[in-house]
Amino acid sequence: MTDPSTRPTADPSATASATAVPPADEHARVEAAAAKPTAQASPIRTWLAALSEGGATRNIGLIVALVILCIVGLVTADTFATTGNVRTILTNASVIGVVTVGMTFVIIGGGIDLSVGSIVGLASVWCTTVATQSYGPFVMVLCALLVGLIVGLINGALIAYGRLVPFIVTLGMLIGARGLAQQIANLQTQVVTQQSFNRIADGSLLGVPYLVWLLLGTFAIGWVVLNLTTFGRRTVAVGGNPEAARLAGIDIRLHTALLYGVSGLCCGLAAVMLTAQTASGSSTNGQNYELDAIAAVIIGGTLLTGGRGTLVGTFLGVLVFTLITNLFILNNLSTPVQNLAKGLIIIGAVLLQRRRAETST
């Protein structure tokens, strides 16, 4: 009988090599399958799948909604198609539209910003103080942008480095920034004395108001940053899977802080536009902007959970929401009815998002 201790043992490296390399016939089969052309899918089905993946189907739905709303406006209001009303719709969409650009970045990144309206109010008050106006319109614009950027970065630092919940931080800033604006303005409206500053809202280029050009320019820059830069790809990665983004080497905390800085900067620009439009700075400026911005972003198809969204959809969402508000005003609907309808629109959009997410999984 052979001693078990003297029995030859298998070479571990040989065993590993044997298990690692597949049989020759299996290897040939895999290579042949890879070289074989895939089954030909229907061109229409492939095109629709690509559209659905890119969010274009939702955008087409928003365009259809815009057309329906325009038809309703033509039927129910005689002044809907007038040049003055169209100009009003575009200028009203411009201010809140700039705010939604920053909100889109924040929500895609997995956050939420409830303080955007208060930041607009604070920036408008700070840039219209007597001391600020004495330096001229350029300093007024710079002041509003800096105030918005700094407050946004404070939000981002508290959320990212303080590890606080975005909802709580921005809710606190909503109250605090509005209170600071009231303190600075002493609960009074500050009139803009720099007439050149007001030309931001009064002037036009090629028949289009400057405010609309600012809106289009902001969306264009935002689209380029979100779709064609590393910052945009990191935003989607952080919002979609923060842990995977961290393992990929992305500084999640710094990026989150920058996202709220972008939101604050957009609020500063919106404050400039709104202040020029009203020729005054007031602590009441920007009230309920957070609700309108979130609604427009959600209607545009951006997921509240983060990781997916488009600025094209947000732009269409802004137009849809502004058009609905304009129709309410033209048909003399009261403010409570308008707010009720807006709330139902937000809830409906969220429910639709959830249903689409469940069906896709």
Side-chain angles (χ1 to χ4, degrees):
M1 180 178 296
T2 307
D3 187 358
S5 61
T6 63
R7 292 178 181 175
T9 57
D11 185 3
S13 60
T15 304
S17 176
T19 57
V21 178
D25 55 345
E26 178 66 16
H27 182 74
R29 187 188 66 82
V30 172
E31 290 292 337
K36 184 184 299 182
T38 56
Q40 294 295 328
S42 171
I44 297 178
R45 180 175 298 179
T46 303
W47 180 72
L48 290 175
L51 286 178
S52 179
E53 184 67 21
T57 51
R58 171 175 285 273
N59 294 340
I60 293 174
L62 291 173
I63 294 174
V64 172
L66 282 173
V67 173
I68 294 174
L69 289 173
C70 289
I71 295 175
V72 172
L74 292 172
V75 172
T76 60
D78 296 334
T79 59
F80 177 79
T82 61
T83 304
N85 188 58
V86 173
R87 189 183 182 94
T88 299
I89 293 173
L90 293 177
T91 53
N92 288 342
S94 62
V95 179
I96 188 63
V98 170
V99 175
T100 60
V101 173
M103 183 69 79
T104 301
F105 274 90
V106 169
I107 294 181
I108 291 177
I112 193 72
D113 192 351
L114 301 179
S115 64
V116 290
S118 296
I119 296 176
V120 170
L122 177 60
S124 71
V125 166
W126 212 315
C127 76
T128 54
T129 59
V130 175
T132 305
Q133 293 194 59
S134 64
Y135 291 99
F138 177 77
V139 175
M140 293 173 64
V141 173
L142 183 61
C143 176
L145 295 177
L146 286 177
V147 169
L149 176 62
I150 291 172
V151 176
L153 289 175
I154 292 174
N155 279 337
L158 291 174
I159 293 169
Y161 295 97
R163 300 182 183 279
L164 301 178
V165 179
F167 181 88
I168 299 300
V169 172
T170 57
L171 180 62
M173 186 60 73
L174 179 151
I175 301 171
R178 186 72 68 184
L180 181 57
Q182 293 171 346
Q183 183 68 26
I184 294 174
N186 197 22
L187 296 177
Q188 296 180 354
T189 299
Q190 300 175 161
V191 179
V192 176
T193 58
Q194 296 286 341
Q195 295 303 318
S196 56
F197 181 86
N198 294 334
R199 292 196 187 99
I200 298 174
D202 298 335
S204 62
L205 177 64
L206 301 177
V208 179
Y210 288 150
L211 295 180
V212 179
W213 285 114
L214 287 172
L215 170 67
L216 296 177
T218 304
F219 265 100
I221 294 173
W223 185 90
V224 171
V225 171
L226 182 61
N227 294 279
L228 302 179
T229 67
T230 302
F231 185 86
R233 290 189 289 271
R234 288 180 176 178
T235 300
V236 176
V238 169
N241 193 328
E243 182 61 21
R246 184 187 66 82
L247 295 175
I250 299 175
D251 190 340
I252 297 178
R253 292 186 295 180
L254 175 60
H255 194 84
T256 299
L258 291 177
L259 287 176
Y260 284 91
V262 169
S263 178
L265 186 62
C266 290
C267 291
L269 178 57
V272 171
M273 299 165 66
L274 182 60
T275 303
Q277 193 175 14
T278 59
S280 63
S282 173
S283 59
T284 60
N285 283 346
Q287 280 189 337
N288 296 328
Y289 271 22
E290 55 278 353
L291 300 180
D292 292 347
I294 293 173
V297 173
I298 294 174
I299 291 173
T302 299
L303 292 181
L304 270 177
T305 54
R308 192 175 71 184
T310 65
L311 278 172
V312 174
T314 297
F315 180 76
L316 295 174
V318 170
L319 293 181
V320 168
F321 212 67
T322 305
L323 199 55
I324 291 174
T325 303
N326 182 259
L327 289 176
F328 287 159
I329 295 174
L330 292 179
N331 289 279
N332 298 320
L333 293 180
S334 61
T335 301
V337 174
Q338 295 182 34
N339 293 334
L340 175 61
K342 290 179 180 179
L344 293 176
I345 291 172
I346 295 174
I347 295 174
V350 173
L351 290 176
L352 181 60
Q353 279 190 3
R354 183 174 181 179
R355 181 178 179 182
R356 291 167 70 96
E358 290 176 350
T359 53
S360 62
T361 55

